[in-house]
Coordinates of all heavy atoms in Angstrom, one line a residue:
N908 N -11.7 28.5 12.1 CA -12.0 27.4 11.2 C -10.8 26.4 11.1 O -10.3 26.0 10.0 CB -12.3 27.9 9.8 CG -13.7 28.5 9.8 OD1 -14.6 27.9 10.3 ND2 -13.9 29.6 9.1
M909 N -10.4 25.9 12.3 CA -9.4 24.8 12.3 C -9.7 24.0 13.6 O -10.1 24.6 14.6 CB -8.0 25.4 12.3 CG -6.9 24.4 12.2 SD -6.9 23.5 10.6 CE -6.4 24.8 9.5
E910 N -9.5 22.7 13.6 CA -9.5 21.9 14.8 C -8.1 21.8 15.3 O -7.2 21.2 14.6 CB -10.1 20.5 14.4 CG -11.5 20.6 13.8 CD -12.5 21.3 14.6 OE1 -12.8 20.8 15.8 OE2 -13.1 22.3 14.2
I911 N -7.8 22.3 16.5 CA -6.5 22.4 17.0 C -6.4 21.5 18.3 O -7.2 21.7 19.2 CB -6.2 23.9 17.4 CG1 -6.2 24.7 16.1 CG2 -4.8 24.0 18.0 CD1 -6.1 26.2 16.3
I912 N -5.5 20.6 18.3 CA -5.3 19.6 19.3 C -3.9 19.7 19.9 O -2.9 19.8 19.2 CB -5.5 18.2 18.8 CG1 -6.9 18.1 18.1 CG2 -5.3 17.2 19.9 CD1 -7.0 17.2 16.9
S913 N -3.8 19.8 21.2 CA -2.6 19.7 21.9 C -2.5 18.5 22.8 O -3.4 18.2 23.6 CB -2.4 21.0 22.8 OG -2.4 22.2 22.0
V914 N -1.4 17.7 22.7 CA -1.2 16.5 23.5 C 0.0 16.8 24.3 O 1.2 17.0 23.8 CB -0.9 15.3 22.6 CG1 -0.7 14.1 23.4 CG2 -2.1 15.1 21.6
M915 N -0.1 16.9 25.6 CA 0.9 17.2 26.6 C 1.8 16.0 26.9 O 1.3 15.0 27.4 CB 0.4 17.8 27.8 CG -0.2 19.2 27.7 SD 1.0 20.5 27.4 CE 1.9 20.4 28.9
L916 N 3.0 16.0 26.5 CA 4.0 14.9 26.8 C 4.8 15.1 28.0 O 5.2 14.2 28.7 CB 4.9 14.7 25.6 CG 4.2 14.5 24.2 CD1 5.3 14.3 23.1 CD2 3.3 13.3 24.3
A917 N 5.1 16.4 28.4 CA 5.9 16.7 29.6 C 5.7 18.1 30.0 O 5.5 19.0 29.1 CB 7.4 16.4 29.3
G918 N 5.7 18.4 31.3 CA 5.7 19.8 31.8 C 4.3 20.3 32.1 O 3.3 19.5 32.0
R919 N 4.2 21.6 32.3 CA 2.9 22.3 32.7 C 2.7 23.5 31.9 O 3.6 24.3 31.8 CB 2.9 22.6 34.2 CG 2.8 21.4 35.1 CD 3.0 21.9 36.6 NE 2.0 22.8 37.0 CZ 2.2 24.0 37.6 NH1 3.5 24.3 37.9 NH2 1.2 24.8 37.9
M920 N 1.5 23.7 31.3 CA 1.2 24.9 30.5 C -0.1 25.4 31.1 O -1.0 24.7 31.5 CB 1.0 24.5 29.0 CG 2.3 24.1 28.3 SD 3.2 25.5 27.7 CE 2.3 25.9 26.2
N921 N -0.3 26.8 30.9 CA -1.6 27.3 31.2 C -2.3 27.5 29.8 O -1.8 27.4 28.8 CB -1.5 28.7 31.9 CG -1.0 29.8 31.1 OD1 -0.4 29.6 30.0 ND2 -1.1 31.0 31.5
H922 N -3.6 27.8 29.9 CA -4.5 28.1 28.8 C -5.5 29.1 29.2 O -6.2 29.0 30.1 CB -5.2 26.8 28.3 CG -6.3 27.1 27.3 ND1 -6.0 27.0 25.9 CD2 -7.6 27.4 27.4 CE1 -7.1 27.3 25.3 NE2 -8.1 27.6 26.2

Side-chain angles (χ1 to χ4, degrees):
N908 286 319
M909 191 64 71
E910 304 302 300
I911 299 171
I912 301 145
S913 297
V914 179
M915 290 291 296
L916 304 181
R919 293 172 57 228
M920 293 274 279
N921 71 343
H922 168 92

